[in-house]
Amino acid sequence: MNSQAAAGAVLTIDLGALANNWNWLRKRLRIGAELASVVKADGYGLGALQVGAALAKAGCKSFFVARLDEGISLRKALGRGERIFVLDGVLPGTALEFSHHDLIPVLNEPGQIAEWTAKADGKSKAALHVDTGMNRLGLSLAELEAQAPRLDRAGLCLLMSHLACAEESENPKNAQQLERFNQMRRLLPPLPASLSNSSGVFLGADYHFDLVRAGVALYGVNPTPDLPNPMTQVVQLQGKIVQVRDVDLPETVGYGATHKVSGRTRIATVAVGYADGWPRSLSNRGFGVLDGVRVPLVGRVSMDLITFDVTGVPQGAVHPGAFVTLLGEGASVDEAADAAGTIGYEILTNLGPRYFRRFVGG
Ligand SMILES: *Cc1c(COP(=O)(O)O)cnc(C)c1O
């Protein structure tokens, strides 16, 4: 028996759709701007090595990861050539690892600059992160003014900052951050600059600078939540039906007896649960698609199982081994996220290790 047949659910990742998304987004950039790919958190849960290789093949030359160890693994997978930036930057004692693995640290605070310039070999490159209003990572304006004279030894190849509200095109915070970023740029000698994530692309060419760091849009999540999704869906998640049963009044379904049936009801139990990253907050709120019919998730999400009311589905389509689509045609990542009270980023990065993963279109 193959492992796909032995798994409870199949996660299909369409590397062709991913490459299309990268190309589509790249064409929206200001002429001369580069589109980098953010593949942190294992490529937003989809597999950083496969995703990274597919994007490199599509023409992507720069990648961002969060952790040093993510950078080391990605470097092994990609070989030499593409640039790999590490957003955490130089944590104490790690400076030499960056040159060793040909990784570019994003220097976030004065201690990182000191650590880096003390160890830097004069050839290794680094990026500098300045804070323009996110108050998470990066130098403040005062820190930048103080550090500026010391930065000529850091081998800087990029100045970057990060937007807090990029997906809200009307939010005045965007223009404030843009202005602050331009102000901070003027304190340094000319350097390639980067401000935008996926959503920043849609704020206009002023926000593109020399490089855009796109993550979530590449993976098919809507970067413009107030408008229809321009991206192509990349993931499909299909859970297998384990058992079908008919229940009638006055029965209830699942833990806590939270779903009371209102009459004769057919329930399909599917082999996906919160241990697979399917959010427990989808209890009585989620849905799936079976034989083209949208079926509500009823009762609580349990560790290994979820239950759907499939009363409205033609009987022949409801049997053990049949697939209920949780993500895919008729079930977008954004819709699942809305129902769960979260964001597409979290749905993707929680996709669990028990799924059988299939890469297509590569
Ligand atoms: C995660 C991240 C990105 C990518 O953001 P998306 O919204 O997924 O496009 C870009 N820049 C930084 C600093 C990040 O942390």
Side-chain angles (χ1 to χ4, degrees), residues 245 247 251-262 265-270 272-274 278-288 295-310 339-340:
R245 69 189 317 125
V247 289
E251 288 302 318
T252 63
V253 180
Y255 283 123
T258 59
H259 179 74
K260 299 177 175 54
V261 299
S262 55
T265 303
R266 179 155 291 175
I267 297 291
T269 302
V270 168
V272 168
Y274 62 73
W278 204 243
R280 191 163 174 278
S281 55
L282 284 173
S283 299
N284 290 307
R285 303 180 61 100
F287 70 92
V295 291
L297 192 162
V298 293
R300 286 200 184 142
V301 173
S302 50
M303 184 184 293
D304 310 307
L305 299 166
I306 42 183
T307 35
F308 291 95
D309 180 340
V310 296

